[in-house]
Amino acid sequence: MTAVRTSDLVQAAGMAGEAVFAFNVITVEHAEGIVAGAEAAETAVILQLSENTVGFHGGRLAPLLAACAALAATSHVPLALHLDHFTDPSLIATALAGAADFGVSSIMVDAAHLPYEANVERTREWSTAAHAAGLWVEAELGEIGGKKGAHAAGARTDPDEAADFVRRTGVDALAVAVGSSHAMATRDADVDIALTAALAAAVPVPLVLHGGSGVSDELLNAVVRAGVRKLNVGTALNIAFTAAVRDHLGRHPDGNDPRGYLAAGRDAVAEAVTRLCRAVKPESATR
């Protein structure tokens, strides 16, 4: 099947009281591992490329997106393609112009580092442009921790402000600060479930949890029950990938074929994806 739309996956998750995972892709091996893991779990997922990853690939969107689109075309589970944490106006313009060529159906525009009114204005401008390009739009309010310089640890999203932000920007989903943080290597984030539920009640669009790598299985299930419909995970895959590469190289100190350690990393990503997908149960299964 070809790539499906992010909006369809998130809507289906909401109707079922569930959430869809969005996994960060950095290399082709990441993408292959994510797809293999999702297929093993028989679960639809979102493949997302961040602005940082595009920078890692020399500012080029096309090569990795083409690989993700090709994987989606041969997968037996639904996969959507998403652009994550885009902040640069010129790159956003390039992404909007080329998104349809690769089956990209959504983008997260990030002006959360700006003061509130500036965030509203910038997000509204980008949201209008992305909608004109046929994309579903996610934005952020509350400065989720863990990003260099722009994202403040300990920030929390105010429900009334969140409702105002969504109304004025026209975004389709909102990433909120409720205690998780980007780039966490441990799973001990103290997520505020009551605040998550209050935000879900106040905001008429799906909520997104960034920094899912740092959240325990128990709390991931709790935030889904509280109303989160998209769960972002990146660092957990990088930890699994890197550990597997280190282990392989340690056991093969004289090896020089990258296929051996890249395969180990890819397999570790697949296992991490399968485990997470199976650990976050549908709401009905937790009762």
Side-chain angles (χ1 to χ4, degrees):
M1 65 178 70
T2 57
V4 301
R5 295 189 64 82
T6 298
S7 57
D8 291 341
L9 294 186
V10 175
Q11 182 180 27
M15 292 176 64
E18 301 175 13
V20 58
F21 273 105
F23 293 107
N24 282 60
V25 175
I26 297 178
T27 68
V28 171
E29 289 76 23
H30 275 82
E32 291 173 332
I34 292 165
V35 174
E39 289 181 333
E42 295 289 341
T43 302
V45 302
I46 299 166
L47 303 176
Q48 58 184 26
L49 275 67
S50 71
E51 184 172 284
N52 287 339
T53 289
V54 175
F56 169 72
H57 289 283
R60 294 180 293 272
L61 279 161
L64 193 53
L65 278 179
C68 290
L71 287 166
T74 58
S75 174
H76 70 258
V77 297
L79 303 172
L81 306 184
H82 175 73
L83 302 175
D84 189 44
H85 280 293
F86 273 48
T87 65
D88 179 74
S90 62
L91 185 57
I92 290 173
T94 299
L96 298 189
D101 295 336
F102 301 103
V104 172
S105 62
S106 58
I107 186 169
M108 189 265 188
V109 294
D110 185 1
H113 57 287
L114 299 175
Y116 179 72
E117 288 297 332
N119 186 1
V120 169
E121 291 303 316
R122 184 71 59 84
T123 301
R124 178 166 55 198
E125 174 188 346
W126 286 339
S127 179
T128 299
H131 283 151
L135 300 186
W136 182 90
V137 182
E138 176 186 335
E140 180 178 313
L141 182 64
E143 296 188 304
I144 298 159
K147 292 285 184 180
K148 293 182 180 178
H151 298 254
R156 297 292 183 271
T157 304
D158 176 79
D160 292 336
E161 195 171 65
D164 178 71
F165 182 86
V166 169
R167 177 182 60 81
R168 294 171 61 189
T169 60
V171 297
D172 303 298
L174 187 66
V176 292
V178 292
S180 59
S181 180
H182 296 99
M184 285 188 67
T186 57
R187 303 190 70 196
D188 54 1
D190 185 13
V191 179
D192 189 330
I193 302 303
L195 175 58
T196 304
L199 286 162
V203 174
V205 299
L207 298 184
V208 182
L209 182 77
H210 285 223
S213 295
V215 182
S216 67
D217 291 349
E218 179 183 4
L219 283 179
L220 284 176
N221 279 289
V223 295
V224 173
R225 292 194 299 272
V228 166
R229 297 296 168 241
K230 177 172 175 276
L231 296 169
N232 283 23
V233 171
T235 301
L237 306 190
N238 297 339
I239 291 171
F241 186 100
T242 303
V245 169
R246 285 196 181 108
D247 177 70
H248 180 90
L249 292 175
R251 290 184 290 105
H252 303 86
D254 298 324
N256 56 24
D257 187 341
R259 287 172 293 188
Y261 58 78
L262 290 177
R266 181 179 58 198
D267 291 346
V269 167
E271 291 172 6
V273 167
T274 299
R275 194 205 67 76
L276 278 167
C277 289
R278 289 175 174 168
V280 178
K281 310 173 191 66
E283 186 174 17
S284 60
T286 64
R287 292 173 178 166

